[in-house]
Amino acid sequence: MPHSPLLRHLRDLAAVATVVLFMFPLFWWGLNSIKPAHAIFANFSVTWFDFTPTLDNYRVTLAGEGPAFFASRQAILDTILVATGATLLTLLAALPAAFALSLLSFARKRAVFLWLLFHRILPPIAVLVPLVFAFTLAGLRDTRTGVILAHAAVNLPFAALLLKSFLDEVPREVGEAALIDGATRLQSFTRIYAPLVKGGIAATAVLCFIFSWTEFLMALFLTSTIRLLPVQLSLVVTQTWGFTAALSTASILPAFLFVLLVQRHLVRGLTMGLAKG
């Protein structure tokens, strides 16, 4: 039975209100990032738009034109390097794993699937203490390589299961036809399956990048001299709210842009392939 116009309008109104509610904090951070200090700390009033915009907060945090404590350009560069490296390493391991789980038959396949699922729901803090000891003994603590390996290990179960859900949607006849024509399993994967699920690969890469970009605990315990962006944000959060807002806004933009690029595939990814588009 079709909904009445009134119910449709109420539904649309509720959707808009929900979006506004969740987007308002981001809007407020962005607004405060271009406010001068006197507008942020105005007594007995809230300054909305009655101020002269300034980029001083961005100059201090991103360009380093101020106290060295607030300079965060190196933290952003290190975080980009770590997130990119962890994403590439995760995909490199997750793609063949997903292909095997989805398309191949082998002994204890269900056990491998359950093992990945267990590690997917395991909180990172549960393995943090032994990981710190192991990385210290291996000389990987306080290195970008160590953080990349740790992030890739945490993201791998999620990426493998997510890619498997996309590969499950590809008709088996397509791959079987390639095998009949003489293609190997590797050629079937690289030339047939991978191009068909490239949107899913992009969505998985974006999610892995975001998880690595925002991961805090491992960045905190596995590094000392290297400050990644989540750790830097926790240090900058003092009474200098303008600097905090500028750095927070700058850190949100990459993830926001990536989500916009693959939003259609991202919906399917977040529902493990249940939402088909």
Side-chain angles (χ1 to χ4, degrees):
M1 179 182 296
H3 295 295
S4 66
L6 178 60
L7 288 178
R8 287 199 299 269
H9 288 311
L10 289 176
R11 181 192 61 188
D12 294 341
L13 184 62
V16 171
T18 302
V19 171
V20 170
L21 179 65
F22 281 94
M23 292 298 294
F24 180 77
L26 302 181
F27 161 76
W28 192 248
W29 271 128
L31 188 64
N32 280 330
S33 70
I34 58 174
K35 283 182 180 180
H38 66 82
I40 297 176
F41 297 101
N43 292 327
F44 311 111
S45 64
V46 177
T47 304
W48 288 89
F49 302 105
D50 187 20
F51 65 90
T52 302
T54 178
L55 295 178
D56 288 345
N57 296 321
Y58 289 96
R59 293 191 183 98
V60 170
T61 54
L62 302 184
E65 297 180 8
F69 177 78
F70 299 109
S72 304
R73 180 169 56 185
Q74 187 60 46
I76 292 177
L77 294 176
D78 287 339
T79 309
I80 291 174
L81 177 63
V82 167
T84 303
T87 300
L88 293 176
L89 185 59
T90 301
L91 290 179
L92 187 64
L95 280 168
F99 179 76
L101 287 172
S102 178
L103 303 169
L104 302 182
S105 297
F106 55 90
R108 300 190 181 278
K109 178 177 178 179
R110 180 174 177 80
V112 173
F113 178 82
L114 292 176
W115 181 80
L116 284 174
L117 188 61
F118 170 75
H119 282 274
R120 171 68 188 98
I121 63 178
L122 187 70
I125 195 172
V127 297
L128 192 56
V129 173
L131 194 64
V132 170
F133 280 105
F135 274 37
T136 302
L137 292 175
L140 292 173
R141 190 176 181 277
D142 200 25
T143 65
R144 298 173 185 85
T145 302
V147 183
I148 289 173
L149 291 174
H151 285 186
V154 171
N155 286 335
L156 178 58
F158 165 78
L161 293 175
L162 184 54
L163 289 170
K164 176 186 177 299
S165 72
F166 284 105
L167 288 170
D168 286 344
E169 297 178 3
V170 179
R172 294 296 175 265
E173 294 80 7
V174 176
E176 291 171 358
L179 294 176
I180 292 174
D181 290 338
T184 63
R185 289 285 186 182
L186 179 60
Q187 290 171 334
S188 173
F189 173 65
T190 57
R191 298 181 182 180
I192 304 297
Y193 286 100
L196 290 176
V197 296
K198 60 183 179 181
I201 296 174
T204 304
V206 168
L207 288 175
C208 290
F209 185 91
I210 292 174
F211 291 160
S212 182
W213 182 267
T214 59
E215 202 283 323
F216 174 74
L217 277 178
M218 288 187 174
L220 178 65
F221 285 94
L222 293 179
T223 60
S224 299
T225 59
I226 299 173
R227 285 185 184 175
L228 298 185
L229 194 53
V231 178
Q232 179 68 6
L233 273 169
S234 69
L235 297 175
V236 173
V237 175
T238 59
Q239 295 302 314
T240 54
W241 296 116
F243 301 152
T244 305
L247 186 56
S248 299
T249 303
S251 67
I252 290 170
L253 285 179
F256 183 74
L257 292 176
F258 287 151
V259 168
L260 286 181
L261 291 175
V262 295
Q263 55 182 325
R264 181 170 64 88
H265 300 288
L266 203 57
V267 172
R268 295 175 61 194
L270 293 172
T271 56
M272 287 295 183
L274 293 178
K276 297 182 180 180

